[in-house]
Amino acid sequence: MKRILKTIFFIPMLLFRIVLHIIWSLFKIALVLFILLAGLNIYAQNSDSQLAKSITLTENEIVSYLANDNSNANTNNLSTDDYSYYTGMKWPSDTATIYIASTNQTLRSAYEDAIANWNNTGVFTFTMADDESSADIVASDASDSNSSAAGLTETERNALTNQITHATITLNSYYLIENPYYGYTNDRIINTAEHELGHVIGLDHNDSEISVMQSAGSYYGIQQTDIDKVQALYAA
């Protein structure tokens, strides 16, 4: 009888110990993973290496995936921009003046970096203007939760020549800065500015390959394919 009672009490205790051991093991694994991920994130935020960029890109994709599971307002459904585009439109030459009207320091810096990056390609030159009224392009910002885009590019053109006469870019701080939920790192903000400048130059969306002109995500900066397209556009 005593053996039966011991067996009856032994089995629940054994199961309890097994469950407790499993929980403790899972906790230790989770702790190690947390420390590892935190270390990778710190490395990615403080390095310009290709590995760091790959880590940042992966983090952004995970954030976008999780956001997609929890809300309709997420970076997968959020387009990079709204824009006006006419096939073959371009400036009279491969240069234009631009005035940065944005008062947000983060967005001003993103515009400046994006302008420098395009200028460094050698296929188009943006020249800084001192006066908004005389600039070919005005780069501004707004906070608009009603928009489904992180940026907006509006172009004016001569319908007879298909030449661009003026353009306005607006970066949407609601998505880019004010809501970390959307996962916009500084690199992605710069990519968004490069994307909008691509429209200003005369480029359309390009979802068929890795390109700064992909219609959503802003995961890539200026690529060789983008440079080639601008070169071809202004050579025509």
Side-chain angles (χ1 to χ4, degrees), residues 56-215:
T56 300
L57 177 59
T58 301
E59 288 177 347
N60 290 335
E61 289 174 342
I62 292 172
V63 169
S64 295
Y65 176 80
L66 293 176
N68 186 56
D69 282 348
N70 289 286
S71 175
N72 289 326
N74 57 72
T75 53
N76 286 336
N77 292 332
L78 179 67
S79 62
T80 296
D81 64 350
D82 289 327
Y83 72 109
S84 55
Y85 177 78
Y86 299 90
T87 302
M89 70 176 185
K90 60 182 179 179
W91 294 90
S93 65
D94 56 359
T95 184
T97 59
I98 183 168
Y99 178 82
I100 302 177
S102 173
T103 57
N104 183 291
Q105 189 54 49
T106 297
L107 298 183
R108 284 188 64 88
S109 179
Y111 274 129
E112 290 168 354
D113 287 344
I115 289 168
N117 291 342
W118 270 115
N119 286 350
N120 288 337
T121 67
V123 293
F124 196 91
T125 301
F126 292 101
T127 303
M128 301 299 293
D130 296 325
D131 181 25
E132 179 176 350
S133 62
S134 63
D136 297 320
I137 306 156
V138 177
S140 62
D141 68 82
S143 178
D144 185 3
S145 60
N146 294 318
S147 171
S148 61
L152 169 67
T153 295
E154 298 175 293
T155 54
E156 300 173 17
R157 69 182 181 107
N158 184 316
L160 296 177
T161 63
N162 205 26
Q163 290 184 345
I164 304 171
T165 58
H166 189 266
T168 301
I169 303 173
T170 305
L171 293 181
N172 194 345
S173 61
Y174 178 80
Y175 296 113
L176 297 177
I177 297 176
E178 296 165 23
N179 288 277
Y181 173 79
Y182 290 94
Y184 276 91
T185 61
N186 190 59
D187 284 344
R188 287 182 66 198
I189 295 173
I190 294 172
N191 292 346
T192 303
E194 289 178 359
H195 178 101
E196 302 307 328
L197 289 173
H199 283 316
V200 165
I201 291 171
L203 296 180
D204 195 4
H205 282 158
N206 179 9
D207 290 321
S208 63
E209 55 190 333
I210 293 177
S211 165
V212 72
M213 300 310 296
Q214 287 188 356
S215 61

Side-chain angles (χ1 to χ4, degrees), residues 26 46 120 162 169 193 219 228:
L26 291 174
N46 292 278
N120 288 337
N162 205 26
I169 303 173
Y219 292 123
D228 293 342

